Amino acid sequence: MYSSGSSLAVIGILIPTLVHVSLFTLIFMVLGAHRSGSRVQAALVAVYLVAIATILLLPPTAEVRIASFARVGQDYFGNVGPALSRLFGVPGLVLDTRLTSLLAFVYTYHYLNWFIKADVIRWTAVPKARLAAMAAASAASTALYFYDYAFGFTFLLALSLIHILLEFPLDALALRQLGAAVQGAARGWHAARTATAAPRSRPASSTVSKRARRSR
């Protein structure tokens, strides 16, 4: 893989994308739940983590797989494994069910998560001119695939990577804010624990003072 420049290019694009749609989506979810104090958002974070754990630890067995879905998946994505095998120079590369399920879940949830946060994005407040420009850009991007599939894929992949790089400052800010929130919660827990333990020591001191008075 090191000797192949194309494989390193693919990895250099896909790994930041995967980190973006999985790790930073989780960070934004946790930070949003902390700020709002919403139990529903906290439950969504728990569901997200449980879903990932279930995909990795309990992959579907042959008995529970739907045959029609398996055929469709093979028809549309069966050539991905051999293509990556040739690209990376790894013969017989097979995409594990857990890996493909994990990728499908984190990418889909990342997209749906932004539609869930309608109050943050304020879709209803987008000016009509900007909305029309977005629709035209989307149609033009789709048209690139019909013109030249390889060119359309390369162009949109470049836009995707630019989007990820431009969001790095926001990711860094979210990490700092989440770290400050965790530190504040730890300090509050420590202060509460100290305040709870303090009254327990008072009877001992009062007993000592009573004994001192008696000795006098």
Side-chain angles (χ1 to χ4, degrees), residues 4-23:
S4 175
S6 58
S7 63
L8 285 179
V10 172
I11 293 174
I13 293 175
L14 293 182
I15 288 183
T17 304
L18 179 59
V19 172
H20 174 80
V21 300
S22 58
L23 178 61

Side-chain angles (χ1 to χ4, degrees), residues 1 78 80-96 99:
M1 290 175 62
V80 175
L84 292 177
S85 179
R86 292 191 299 270
L87 178 64
F88 294 151
V90 180
L93 181 63
V94 178
L95 297 181
D96 183 71
L99 175 61

Side-chain angles (χ1 to χ4, degrees), residues 23 25 28 32 34 54 59 72 80 89 98 100 105 120-121 123 135 138 144 166 179 182-183 186 195 200-201:
L23 178 61
T25 297
F28 286 130
H34 171 74
T54 303
V72 171
V80 175
R98 289 173 294 184
T100 54
F105 174 75
V120 177
I121 303 179
W123 291 107
S138 178
L144 288 177
L166 291 177
V182 172
Q183 187 177 11
R200 296 178 181 177
S201 61

Side-chain angles (χ1 to χ4, degrees), residues 66-78:
I66 302 175
S68 59
F69 284 178
R71 288 194 297 270
V72 171
Q74 181 63 30
D75 293 339
Y76 284 95
F77 303 104

Side-chain angles (χ1 to χ4, degrees), residues 25-51:
T25 297
L26 177 62
I27 290 175
F28 286 130
M29 291 172 61
V30 173
L31 189 59
H34 171 74
R35 287 176 174 176
S36 64
S38 172
R39 294 183 178 180
V40 175
Q41 293 190 28
L44 287 177
V45 174
V47 169
Y48 182 81
L49 295 175
V50 169

Side-chain angles (χ1 to χ4, degrees), residues 118-193:
D119 293 338
V120 177
I121 303 179
R122 299 176 62 85
W123 291 107
T124 56
V126 176
K128 293 183 179 180
R130 182 181 298 178
L131 189 61
M134 293 167 57
S138 178
S141 300
T142 306
L144 288 177
Y145 283 100
F146 290 94
Y147 172 73
D148 187 332
Y149 189 90
F151 176 75
F153 179 80
T154 303
F155 179 76
L156 292 182
L157 194 60
L159 288 183
S160 175
L161 185 60
I162 292 174
H163 153 70
I164 294 172
L165 295 178
L166 291 177
E167 200 168 307
F168 275 172
L170 178 61
D171 297 335
L173 177 62
L175 276 173
R176 291 199 302 269
Q177 291 176 346
L178 183 60
V182 172
Q183 187 177 11
R187 288 178 178 176
W189 176 80
H190 180 70
R193 186 178 180 183

